Amino acid sequence: MGAGHKNQLSYLFFILLAILSFYAVFHDNDIGMIAASIKKMKLSYLMLAAVTALVFTMMEGVMIWYLLRVLQGKAEFLQCIRYSFVGFLYSGITPSATGGQPMQLYHMKRDGNSLSASTVVLMTVALIYKLVLVLMGMAMLAAGFSVLKENLGRYLELFYLGMFLNTALVAVLLIVMIFPQSARSMLLAAEGLLVKIRIFKKSEYRVYQIEQFIQSYQNAVMFLIQNKKQVAAVMAAVFVQRCLVFILPYIVYCGFGLHGADAGTIFMIQMSIYLAVDMLPLPGAQGITELMYRRAFRDVFTLQYVVPSMCVSRGISFYFLLIFSIAVCVIYHIHFRMRKM
């Protein structure tokens, strides 16, 4: 199957999920009442939420810019900001966000950045992102388990699954870091087993990809070891970036003029939703995110505002950023074509 055909299937799957998500949200609700409630939100808070979402996305570009400068001595700031929107767009429309980094790497290479430096930067950002997310999840389990148990209901098991998958991924990456040759042997053995039981077809290219992953990861590990201060700075930036997206529902809460729930509770609920759906093989975690939001925030926003708040919060943190990312990519493509002509 060609790459173009795969992309078309990804787009169709994304659109189908979007339609099903909208149906799940609105089929048992009065759209007129939801719209009337949304109109009650203060414009200043709506703008603040939109700016917060944009800063959240652009911070990844700032980290890429910072690390590229460390590795290759130079990097264009605006280009790096564009890479963050490219990553958001293709992560949002592909299962398990698998399309983001390859497209970022393609754009970085096309702009003249070193392929090896670009690979190390993206691997470093991805590793630190997962590590920070798992550490924040563990801290939340230790300090706010009662909040999770009270608000997640039957979705608490999904949160456990999300924590397990993210922790397992971090553990695998750490094994590759500490025992690269053992990790290489394990991955090749697993690939051989899947070929033997006919889940995968025999592929030399897949073996090459495994070898490249191990090598790229080892390069990233060497960078981490040799640049501890820079890594610490990126970890702090990732923590702030995560906090921005987790606090966004509280901005929406204030925008509706609601009172009674504290920022910490809303922060932890949103973090639990994010952790629960982060590793699911659904483009943009559509559908399950909306359903989980309605259950988790039901008591916080009350029945009158839980769906309107979800429309605003999810609309800004995902659909607005997706549209903005498409606009950035289209403008760049037009500029690139004109420059070539």
Side-chain angles (χ1 to χ4, degrees):
M1 186 182 293
H5 190 54
K6 286 183 179 180
N7 287 337
Q8 290 176 4
L9 289 177
S10 295
Y11 300 149
L12 288 173
F13 187 40
F14 174 85
I15 293 169
L16 177 62
L17 273 180
I19 293 170
L20 292 175
S21 300
F22 281 111
Y23 175 77
V25 170
F26 295 115
H27 83 282
D28 58 349
N29 289 280
D30 187 323
I31 296 178
M33 290 183 64
I34 293 172
S37 296
I38 291 175
K39 287 180 180 178
K40 295 179 182 178
M41 184 171 179
K42 297 173 184 176
L43 181 60
S44 57
Y45 282 94
L46 186 66
M47 296 298 291
L48 177 61
V51 171
T52 300
L54 288 172
V55 172
F56 156 75
T57 308
M58 289 188 290
M59 280 192 71
E60 182 183 355
V62 174
M63 287 180 265
I64 291 172
W65 172 77
Y66 176 68
L67 292 176
L68 275 178
R69 283 172 59 85
V70 173
L71 274 169
Q72 63 182 26
K74 60 184 178 66
E76 292 290 335
F77 183 75
L78 290 180
Q79 286 182 349
C80 294
I81 296 298
R82 169 166 51 83
Y83 303 148
S84 63
F85 286 106
V86 169
F88 187 92
L89 171 59
Y90 288 94
S91 293
I93 62 176
T94 53
S96 300
T98 51
Q101 282 201 342
M103 285 305 298
Q104 285 179 312
L105 191 61
Y106 169 75
H107 276 255
M108 293 167 79
K109 180 69 173 67
R110 191 163 70 172
D111 288 339
N113 294 290
S114 162
L115 183 61
S116 58
S118 301
T119 304
V120 169
V121 166
L122 293 179
M123 292 285 284
T124 301
V125 171
L127 173 60
I128 293 176
Y129 160 69
K130 286 295 180 185
L131 180 60
V132 169
L133 195 61
V134 167
L135 291 175
M136 291 179 75
M138 290 179 174
M140 181 172 58
L141 277 173
F145 178 73
S146 59
V147 173
L148 302 182
K149 189 174 181 180
E150 180 182 350
N151 291 282
L152 294 189
R154 68 181 184 274
Y155 291 108
L156 186 61
E157 293 180 0
L158 187 61
F159 169 76
Y160 288 145
L161 174 63
M163 275 296 296
F164 170 76
L165 292 174
N166 277 284
T167 305
L169 179 59
V170 171
V172 168
L173 294 177
L174 288 175
I175 289 172
V176 176
M177 179 189 294
I178 301 170
F179 308 107
Q181 293 307 315
S182 299
R184 175 183 176 278
S185 300
M186 288 168 58
L187 288 172
L188 291 175
E191 191 270 346
L193 176 62
L194 292 172
V195 170
K196 190 174 182 179
I197 61 179
R198 298 184 179 180
I199 292 177
F200 286 165
K201 291 182 179 180
K202 188 175 178 64
S203 170
E204 293 296 327
Y205 181 66
R206 190 185 306 114
V207 174
Y208 170 76
Q209 285 181 311
I210 292 173
E211 299 279 4
Q212 287 294 104
F213 167 76
I214 296 294
Q215 184 59 52
S216 298
Y217 195 76
Q218 278 299 103
N219 292 339
V221 169
M222 290 303 298
F223 174 78
L224 295 176
I225 293 171
Q226 295 169 3
N227 298 273
K228 295 183 178 64
K229 289 182 179 180
Q230 288 80 1
V231 169
V234 173
M235 284 192 73
V238 169
F239 175 76
V240 172
Q241 184 198 32
R242 294 299 102 193
C243 288
L244 286 174
V245 75
F246 296 152
I247 204 65
L248 199 144
Y250 182 70
I251 297 173
V252 176
Y253 183 82
C254 295
F256 279 116
L258 300 174
H259 304 281
D262 61 277
T265 297
I266 294 176
F267 183 95
M268 283 190 287
I269 294 173
Q270 179 62 23
M271 192 199 304
S272 68
I273 295 172
Y274 198 95
L275 268 162
V277 305
D278 182 57
M279 293 286 286
L280 297 181
L282 298 170
Q286 292 185 99
I288 187 61
T289 301
E290 287 80 6
L291 292 172
M292 196 170 175
Y293 185 105
R294 287 179 63 176
R295 173 60 184 88
F297 281 114
R298 185 177 61 191
D299 295 333
V300 173
F301 281 95
T302 71
L303 290 176
Q304 179 184 353
Y305 285 103
V306 67
V307 174
S309 73
M310 181 190 66
C311 292
V312 175
S313 181
R314 177 70 167 157
I316 289 174
S317 64
F318 182 67
Y319 295 102
F320 163 70
L321 287 179
L322 200 67
I323 293 169
F324 195 94
S325 298
I326 291 171
V328 169
C329 291
V330 168
I331 291 169
Y332 168 74
H333 181 71
I334 293 171
H335 175 72
F336 180 77
R337 297 284 295 182
M338 289 178 66
R339 190 172 59 186
K340 283 189 68 175
M341 290 173 63

